[in-house]
């Protein structure tokens, strides 16, 4: 079989996600045409997608040696460098790709995105504009520029790019995407009415575009229009009946509103069934199961999350809390530590980790961890309350009341705990303590 046919078969297999089979075809093509840079680049691409970075790099270098002016192998080397977290090499290869082929938009897009990921929004903007200055009608690059600015939280600049994309887009998918992202930018800029109108425009033009329904509902909920948000999610589900994303958003909304948990559970299960490998859907299902007092089911689902994402901090945190509730301190501590590796400033994770030491009587370690939690979020009331308890157990009542006052200001309302806790018995007649109890009960100001 000619190497061109083998190459074509490999590309088809790669598009279907059959990477090993695609690599076999490419390697067969390479045997027939060992000096063909196109075949070498295809082999390198397959190896890269399989995570075999050293072999991929060697193929790309061989392809470049045969065709030094071809941008594709240079792009491949950049992607290898990204996987290895080598920023200077990444930028070097992407800039060389632009030099090799100034009319290759993918190089500008990857370089702009990478600058954005590095926290260099000005360089990202300049990179995209190097292309759009000469190609002002390239809606895809303008959309990518807007998304990069959006991810960098530069919503005003993102809005400019999306509006420019809308002015030149002719493909219906481009138009829907640019309109949706424009609405997202308006939402994040606090221009609520304009955002709602923009989402409505998208939905009128493309009622089956699930993302517009989902983002409109999220926008409404964020702005405390909860009934409108639920109605939007339900309309979205009617318009996009096969969408796991809408089911997930409606389930999460019902969970947040603490309403109709059976329906939320059903929706979350359907979302997982339709999009099983989507971590977000599994997380929502696990959270609904937790709220439904199904610890066993929640534990099983969080473990499925970790099977897809072994370092997921939220799954480790929830599994730690479940283990701690069962008295499995060693397992709980392991999960809390794994959660904090990925998210070291999470106050809830720090508080949960500290609770193990508090329960064992190691107040010094517990206090050290709780101080970290409060440093991360000065209004995290559970950590402030726990610090108040530790100081009270040491007899440091003035410091305890200071922490308790901060906790009440931050929203602490568990009056029963502070009335019953042994460490607060000496404070029961203290006027300041009694005033704080009244505030917890909504009777003081």
């Amino acid at each position: 079989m000619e190497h061109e046919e083998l190459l074509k078969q490999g590309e088809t297999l790669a598009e279907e996600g059959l990477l090993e089979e695609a690599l076999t075809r490419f390697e067969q093509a390479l045997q027939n045409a060992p000096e063909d840079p196109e075949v070498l680049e295809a082999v390198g691409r397959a190896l890269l997608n399989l995570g075999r970075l050293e072999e991929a790099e060697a193929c790309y270098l061989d392809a470049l040696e045969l065709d030094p002016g071809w941008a594709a192998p240079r792009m491949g080397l950049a992607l290898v460098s990204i996987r290895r977290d080598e920023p200077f090499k990444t930028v070097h290869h992407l800039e060389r790709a632009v030099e090799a082929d100034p009319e290759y938009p993918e190089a500008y897009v990857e370089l702009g995105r990478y600058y954005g990921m590095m926290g260099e929004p000005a360089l990202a903007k300049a990179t995209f504009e190097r292309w759009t200055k000469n190609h002002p009608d390239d809606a895809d690059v303008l959309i990518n520029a807007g998304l990069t600015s959006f991810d960098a939280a530069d919503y005003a600049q993102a809005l400019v790019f999306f509006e420019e994309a809308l002015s030149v887009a002719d493909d219906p998918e481009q138009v829907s995407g640019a309109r949706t992202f424009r609405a997202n930018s308006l939402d994040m800029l606090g221009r609520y009415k304009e955002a709602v109108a923009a989402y409505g425009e998208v939905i009128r033009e493309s009622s089956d575009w699930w993302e517009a329904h989902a983002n409109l509902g999220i926008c409404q909920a964020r702005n405390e229009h909860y009934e409108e948000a639920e109605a939007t999610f339900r309309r979205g589900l009617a318009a996009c009946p096969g969408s796991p994303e809408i089911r997930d958003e409606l389930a999460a909304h019902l969970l947040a509103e603490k309403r109709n948990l059976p329906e939320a559970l059903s929706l979350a299960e359907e979302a997982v069934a339709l999009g099983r490998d989507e971590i977000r859907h599994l997380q929502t299902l696990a959270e609904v199961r937790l709220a439904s007092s199904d610890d066993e089911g929640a534990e099983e689902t969080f473990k499925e999350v970790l099977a897809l994402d072994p370092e997921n901090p939220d799954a480790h945190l929830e599994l730690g809390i479940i283990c701690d509730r069962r008295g499995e301190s060693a397992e709980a501590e392991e999960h809390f530590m794994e959660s904090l590796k990925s998210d070291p400033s999470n106050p809830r994770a720090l508080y949960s980790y500290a609770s193990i030491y508090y329960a064992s009587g190691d107040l010094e370690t517990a206090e050290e961890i709780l101080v970290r939690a409060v440093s991360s979020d000065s209004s995290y009331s559970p950590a402030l309350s726990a610090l108040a308890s530790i100081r009270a157990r040491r007899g440091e009542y003035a410091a305890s009341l200071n922490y308790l006052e901060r906790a009440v200001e931050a929203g602490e309302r568990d009056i029963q705990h502070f009335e019953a806790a042994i460490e607060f018995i000496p404070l029961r007649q203290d006027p300041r303590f009694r005033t704080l109890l009244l505030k917890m009960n909504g009777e003081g100001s």
Side-chain angles (χ1 to χ4, degrees):
M1 187 181 298
E2 295 293 330
H3 77 275
E4 292 91 347
E5 181 60 29
L6 289 166
L7 190 62
K8 184 177 178 181
Q9 289 180 8
E11 296 290 2
T12 300
L13 290 166
E15 288 174 5
E16 294 174 356
L18 302 172
L19 300 180
E20 293 284 0
E21 293 83 348
L23 177 59
T24 299
R25 293 292 193 282
F26 292 146
E27 288 175 334
Q28 290 171 348
L30 188 61
Q31 290 176 359
N32 294 342
E35 300 295 315
D36 188 328
E38 186 177 355
V39 178
L40 281 163
E41 190 276 336
V43 174
R45 187 161 18 97
L47 289 167
L48 174 65
N49 289 330
L50 289 167
R52 295 161 59 176
L53 302 185
E54 289 186 8
E55 296 168 87
E57 182 180 39
C59 285
Y60 288 133
L61 288 171
D62 288 344
L64 267 183
E65 187 174 346
L66 292 167
D67 188 353
W70 190 23
R74 187 69 69 177
M75 288 289 292
L77 288 170
L79 295 174
V80 169
S81 299
I82 290 173
R83 295 276 191 94
R84 290 175 172 165
D85 194 20
E86 298 172 334
F88 294 110
K89 283 188 176 181
T90 300
V91 172
H92 167 75
H93 287 306
L94 289 171
E95 288 285 8
R96 292 292 299 275
V98 170
E99 290 173 11
D101 186 356
E103 294 300 308
Y104 189 49
E106 288 83 355
Y108 295 88
V109 169
E110 289 298 332
L111 182 57
R113 284 176 173 173
Y114 192 70
Y115 277 136
M117 191 170 64
M118 290 174 63
E120 298 285 355
L123 289 174
K125 177 176 178 288
T127 300
F128 286 117
E129 288 178 342
R130 283 160 63 186
W131 176 263
T132 58
K133 181 179 179 180
N134 295 322
H135 304 83
D137 58 345
D138 192 331
D140 280 334
V141 173
L142 287 165
I143 289 171
N144 274 292
L147 290 172
T148 301
S149 296
F150 191 93
D151 289 341
D154 189 350
Y155 305 119
Q157 181 58 60
L159 181 62
V160 171
F161 279 126
F162 293 137
E163 289 182 336
E164 289 177 359
L166 267 178
S167 69
V168 298
D170 50 17
D171 179 80
E173 190 169 333
Q174 288 178 337
V175 172
S176 292
R179 281 178 174 166
T180 302
F181 302 141
R182 174 179 176 272
N184 293 348
S185 301
L186 289 167
D187 179 15
M188 298 309 294
L189 288 167
R191 294 159 63 174
Y192 175 70
K193 290 184 178 179
E194 292 175 84
V196 170
Y199 285 125
E201 183 181 5
V202 177
I203 291 168
R204 282 192 299 274
E205 293 293 326
S206 305
S207 61
D208 58 348
W209 182 258
W210 69 265
E211 193 170 358
H213 295 281
N215 288 350
L216 173 56
I218 293 168
C219 171
Q220 290 168 324
R222 185 188 299 116
N223 287 275
E224 300 182 358
H225 297 277
Y226 302 114
E227 291 184 4
E228 291 94 327
E230 181 175 341
T232 295
F233 290 135
R234 293 192 183 282
R235 284 195 301 272
L237 190 56
C240 312
S243 169
E245 294 86 1
I246 296 290
R247 285 174 169 79
D248 180 84
E249 293 295 347
L250 180 53
H253 180 75
L254 293 172
L255 175 63
E257 291 293 290
K258 297 180 174 61
R259 292 193 297 107
N260 205 342
L261 286 181
E263 184 186 8
L265 179 61
S266 176
L267 288 163
E269 288 173 338
E270 290 173 4
V272 169
L274 290 167
R276 181 147 199 94
D277 290 337
E278 177 57 53
I279 289 175
R280 166 65 177 148
H281 303 337
L282 286 166
Q283 287 180 315
T284 301
L285 175 58
E287 290 164 7
V288 175
R289 285 176 170 169
L290 267 183
S292 304
S293 301
D294 180 9
D295 278 12
E296 185 177 343
E299 182 177 16
E300 177 186 342
T301 310
F302 280 125
K303 286 180 178 178
E304 291 183 55
V305 171
L306 291 181
L308 295 172
D309 179 9
E311 298 180 357
N312 187 281
D314 296 324
H316 276 298
L317 173 55
E318 298 300 342
L319 284 169
I321 292 171
I322 291 171
C323 290
D324 190 34
R325 211 157 36 224
R326 289 200 300 249
E328 299 169 355
S329 299
E331 292 85 348
E333 182 174 12
E334 183 177 340
H335 282 299
F336 292 145
M337 290 176 66
E338 288 297 321
S339 178
L340 288 167
K341 282 181 185 177
S342 300
D343 190 3
S345 299
N346 185 333
R348 185 164 175 254
L350 289 165
Y351 168 77
S352 301
Y353 187 26
S355 69
I356 295 176
Y357 292 97
Y358 183 90
S360 69
D362 186 351
L363 301 186
E364 184 177 348
T365 303
E367 182 176 24
E368 180 184 333
I369 298 170
L370 289 166
V371 168
R372 285 173 56 195
V374 172
S375 297
S376 173
D377 183 353
S378 61
S379 63
Y380 189 65
S381 62
L384 292 165
S385 296
L387 285 168
S389 293
I390 288 174
R391 292 304 181 94
R393 286 177 67 172
R394 290 177 177 159
E396 300 171 6
Y397 297 117
S400 173
L401 288 171
N402 288 339
Y403 275 121
L404 185 56
E405 186 171 44
R406 289 174 61 186
V408 172
E409 289 173 357
E412 177 63 75
R413 293 296 180 267
D414 190 2
I415 186 172
Q416 290 82 8
H417 166 74
F418 292 98
E419 286 179 332
I422 294 173
E423 62 265 29
F424 290 105
I425 289 176
L427 289 171
R428 285 180 178 172
Q429 302 307 315
D430 185 290
R432 188 179 173 195
F433 180 70
R434 294 176 67 83
T435 299
L436 290 171
L437 292 181
L438 288 172
K439 286 185 177 181
M440 286 187 219
N441 207 31
E443 298 175 17
S445 62

